[in-house]
Structures are given as structure tokens and as C-alpha cells.
RNA sequence: CGGGGAGUGGCGCAGCUUGGUAGCGCAUCUGGUUUGGGACCAGAGGGUCGCAGGUUCAAAUCCUGUCUCCCCGACCA
């Protein structure tokens, strides 16, 4: 993409309404625009990151054996009366009427709808297990939206739902999602830790929140330091095999959010292993048994026990929230620092003297070579001043930059700068492209 | 929902106490000089001062109502 053709409304000054780094930087980098409290337009740069995050989530859901589908944002109120949640959900649910005065709502989640779909088509244990997911916009009318996309009212979420014949089988589905989540967040460069969590309005018996540590996190978390050093399971894990060992390894040591914090258990941890920090919830997994299948009559025939209600679980990942969470985790004075897997573009090319024949030619060659290598470069081909180009590129946080100017070109070199470390190396244009390709490893 | 704060060119702000027909920085446009870390000079365009009502010869400014947004708390898969 050529910057001169792109839409990237960045600002030098920090907008007054943003309080934390991620919100400020998303506004300054031209990623989002607020439309109303907790409701945002995703401008091209932000949209590209959102899509990258979404795609990683999708790939890991698929790898774990979940099946993608899509349910609507608007749901009929009657469905929610079946589970009793229409009245229980309160003002956080946005209730609306259609032209025929029918009661509808903008879905805050989809347990009722997926249960209704399941019961309509599945009648036998032979259809189980099933693990379905979708990635869709949701709306919760928060009393007080804040922190930009991290606590918005409208948000993009992946939610998966599992259907099993028994609690024991449901645990296998739970474990699938649990392990998939570890890999999902690791691929984004995030260290997310499963912690025991409250089950909340969804209800149920067993739940873990996946938390990334961040100074501006909205909840306080406590855990054993050894948990922080466990590597992700890896993409070659066998999801049809026994995952209990992986889950046990992550849940054996103490880890809890403030809501379910157990002072006594925490006190038992050696002092040098105690971790007390703030965190951002990026995902949550629940097992809630027959809480919805029972009242909504989602039953299947059992080989020996007649008809039984299915055991269910639900598994959410806050896709749009993660974009904010990533910036909280990866930023410095100059701006954002994207991990390579989620960066809106792979590399920036800075033309230090647009209009200079030799410089233009060198930039064009590098730009075309990078595209040919399968990468997505953002080429700053504008005639803006050098300082502005540096600042803008640092602000939007592309992981690598290639700086091309007459000064270097007279010696046959360009500069390759690593945004995260600030490290610069002088290379020939050909070698620079090779170096960028090397850094992006698997993308090539 | 309780407490606090703010709405003035695209962005950040001043002006309001003590009414007199709107200003600064950034951004934008034109011309020129510049050209490797957000340049300089000269000029230009752009605002029903959130909205409604009231007081007054006159309202960004005073009064009443209302809407919106932000912060702290409570709340929150």
C-alpha cells in the first residue's frame, strides 16, 4: 500500500478524552473514531489489525476442531424468555422494537440462540460432541464505557459453544478450548494466563478467565510466579488426544482474579513466588452443564438413559478488546510496537526524498520486491518532511522500517530499523528485502 | 446509578468572574526558501460558541431547562 493512496488520519496531539495509552494511541494512529460512548468506527489501519487478530482466533478455533458459523446480531426477545434471562439481564441488554412492535434485542451473547439451533436439529447422542463458534458484533449497554475499545458497548467477540452427552465428555470440549486459547494468545505475542474466575450471569460450575498482565488492567489478579514461565502447548498439539495434562499443568498452581481470590491459598505461596498484578481479561471459558439445555429442552436420546439434556459450555474471546490489550502490552514513548503476527502492515518504507529520481527508483524496487515476497509493505511515498515520516511510522508501530535516502544510496545502502529495539543496520536494498523476509520467517 | 468535570473552526485550548458582535497553537490551502527526527517566511480559507427557551438595546459570557461526552466509584462472560 502506498501511503499517498491510503487513509491514515494521524494526529500529533493527544485527544483529550482518552485516558490510557492504548486508547490515546489508537486515536492518534488513526485506527478508530468514536461515534458515541463505547461505540467506534474502525478506520483502515485499525481494521487491518482487527482482521489479523480475528484470523488468528479463527485458525486456532478451526485447529481445535470448532466449526465456524454466523448468528445474527438482532435476536427475538421470546428466545430469552425461555431461559429466563430476558428479565434477569437488566439494563445492559439493548432492547428494541421492530416496525410490528415485536420485541427484539441486540444480542449481548448467544447461548439461547445456539441452544435453540442445536435442539432443532440434533436429537441423538450420535451427533455429539459438537463445538460451534462464530465471530460477531455484540452489544452490552455498559453503564460506563471506558478505555476505548477495551470496555466498549459494541464489541467483536468470538464465542464458541460445546454440546456433549455428559459432564466427563464436556470436560474434553472445555480442555480443547482451554488449550486452543493458550496457543491463540501466544501467536499474538501475548502472555495470557488462565485464572480461576467467577461464573457471573451466565452461571455454571467451572470457569477460567484468560488474563494478560498490564498496568492499566481493570482487575487485580494473584498467581504463582512459575505459571508465568510456562511455554504455550504448541501448534502441533493433538486436539483429539488427552489434553488433561496440559490443563492440569496450568491450573495446579494458584491463580485467581480478585473476585474469587483466596487469601489463605495465596499466603501459602512462598513470598518470592507471589505475583500480585493488574490484568486485562481477553478470554473466558465456562462449563455450565444443563443450565440452558434443561429449561430450553435441548435433549438428545442417550444409548441407555432415554432422553437427556446436553451438557454445554461457552468460550469467549474479546477480539476487539485484544487490539487495545495488545497496545497496552506493546508501546513506548513514540507509539505502538506491533508484534509481527498482528501488525497492520509488515514493514514501512520511508522515502526520505520523494521526487528524487534515484531515491524513488530504489523505493519502488524495494516495494515491489517485498510484495513479490508475499509481504505487506506500507510505502511512505509522500513528499512530507523526514521528521514527520519518522514520527508517523514510529507512531503506527510497524515492526520494521526500511529508510531510503540519497545519503545512503550514494554508498549503495539503505537502513533497516527494528521498531521494537530501535536497532538500525545498513544494508544494500537487495539485502534489506532479504532481511525483512527473514524476520517474518513463516510468512514467506 | 452516586460524586466530579467538560461542550467555542478538523484537533488541543483561551475568552465567561466584570455582557459590546470570537482569539491562539497545531492541521489545511497558496507562494517562496528549505529537505535524514513532526522546518522557516509571507498570505488565505474555515466557527449558528452542544441544543432550546428566557433576561437585555446587545449573550460564548447572566438565568432556566435539556442533550452529549469524560473522570472516580459502584457495576461488569
Amino acid at each position: 500500500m502506498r501511503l499517498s493512496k491510503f487513509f491514515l488520519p494521524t494526529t500529533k496531539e493527544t485527544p483529550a478524552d482518552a485516558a490510557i495509552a492504548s486508547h490515546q494511541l489508537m486515536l492518534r494512529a488513526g485506527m478508530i473514531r468514536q461515534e458515541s460512548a463505547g461505540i467506534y468506527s474502525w478506520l483502515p489501519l485499525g481494521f487491518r489489525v482487527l482482521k489479523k487478530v480475528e484470523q488468528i482466533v479463527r485458525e486456532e478455533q478451526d485447529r481445535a476442531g470448532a466449526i465456524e458459523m454466523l448468528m445474527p446480531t438482532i435476536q427475538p426477545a421470546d428466545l430469552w424468555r425461555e431461559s429466563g434471562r430476558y428479565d434477569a439481564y437488566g439494563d445492559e441488554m439493548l432492547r428494541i422494537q421492530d416496525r410490528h412492535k415485536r420485541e427484539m434485542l441486540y444480542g449481548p451473547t448467544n447461548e439461547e440462540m445456539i441452544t435453540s439451533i442445536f435442539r432443532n436439529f440434533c436429537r441423538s447422542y450420535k451427533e455429539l460432541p459438537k463445538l460451534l463458534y462464530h465471530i460477531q458484533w455484540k452489544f452490552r449497554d455498559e453503564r460506563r464505557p471506558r478505555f476505548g475499545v477495551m470496555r466498549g458497548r459494541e464489541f467483536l467477540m468470538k464465542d464458541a459453544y460445546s454440546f456433549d452427552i455428559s459432564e466427563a465428555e464436556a470436560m474434553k470440549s472445555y480442555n480443547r478450548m482451554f488449550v486452543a486459547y493458550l496457543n491463540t494468545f501466544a501467536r499474538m505475542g501475548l502472555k495470557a494466563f488462565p485464572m480461576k474466575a467467577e461464573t457471573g450471569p451466565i452461571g455454571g460450575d467451572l470457569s477460567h478467565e484468560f488474563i494478560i498482565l498490564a498496568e492499566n488492567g481493570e482487575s487485580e489478579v494473584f498467581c504463582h510466579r512459575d505459571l508465568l514461565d510456562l511455554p504455550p502447548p504448541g501448534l502441533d498439539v493433538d486436539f483429539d488426544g488427552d489434553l488433561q495434562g496440559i490443563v492440569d499443568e496450568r491450573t495446579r498452581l494458584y491463580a485467581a482474579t480478585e473476585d474469587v481470590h483466596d487469601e489463605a491459598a495465596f499466603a501459602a505461596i512462598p513470598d518470592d513466588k507471589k505475583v500480585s498484578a493488574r490484568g486485562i481479561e481477553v478470554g473466558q471459558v465456562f462449563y455450565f452443564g444443563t443450565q440452558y439445555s434443561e429449561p430450553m429442552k435441548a435433549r438428545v436420546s442417550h444409548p441407555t438413559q432415554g432422553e437427556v439434556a446436553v451438557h454445554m459450555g461457552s468460550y469467549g474471546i474479546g477480539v476487539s478488546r485484544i487490539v487495545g490489550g495488545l497496545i497496552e502490552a506493546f508501546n513506548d514513548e513514540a507509539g505502538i510496537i506491533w508484534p509481527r503476527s498482528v501488525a497492520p502492515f509488515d514493514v514501512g518504507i520511508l522515502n526520505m526524498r520523494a521526487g528524487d529520481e534515484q531515491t524513488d527508483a530504489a523505493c519502488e524496487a524495494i516495494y515491489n520486491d517485498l510484495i513479490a515476497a508475499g509481504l505487506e509493505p506500507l510505502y511512505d511515498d509522500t513528499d512530507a518532511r523526514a521528521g514527520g515520516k519518522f514520527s508517523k511510522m514510529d507512531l503506527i508501530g510497524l515492526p520494521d522500517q526500511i529508510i531510503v535516502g540519497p545519503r545512503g544510496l550514494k554508498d549503495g545502502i539503505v537502513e533497516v530499523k527494528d521498531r521494537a529495539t530501535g536497532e538500525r543496520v545498513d544494508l544494500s536494498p537487495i539485502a534489506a528485502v532479504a532481511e525483512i523476509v527473514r524476520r517474518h520467517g513463516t510468512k514467506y
Side-chain angles (χ1 to χ4, degrees), chain A residues 355-372:
Chain A
D356 175 78
E357 200 175 319
Q358 193 191 4
T359 310
D360 288 350
C363 286
E364 290 290 334
I366 290 169
Y367 179 62
N368 290 325
D369 286 352
L370 287 166
I371 291 172

Side-chain angles (χ1 to χ4, degrees), chain A residues 310-332:
Chain A
V310 290
H311 286 253
M312 295 174 58
S314 73
Y315 315 91
I317 290 181
V319 176
S320 50
R321 165 180 287 193
I322 284 174
V323 177
L326 281 162
I327 299 174
E328 284 300 320
F330 304 111
N331 74 82
D332 64 12

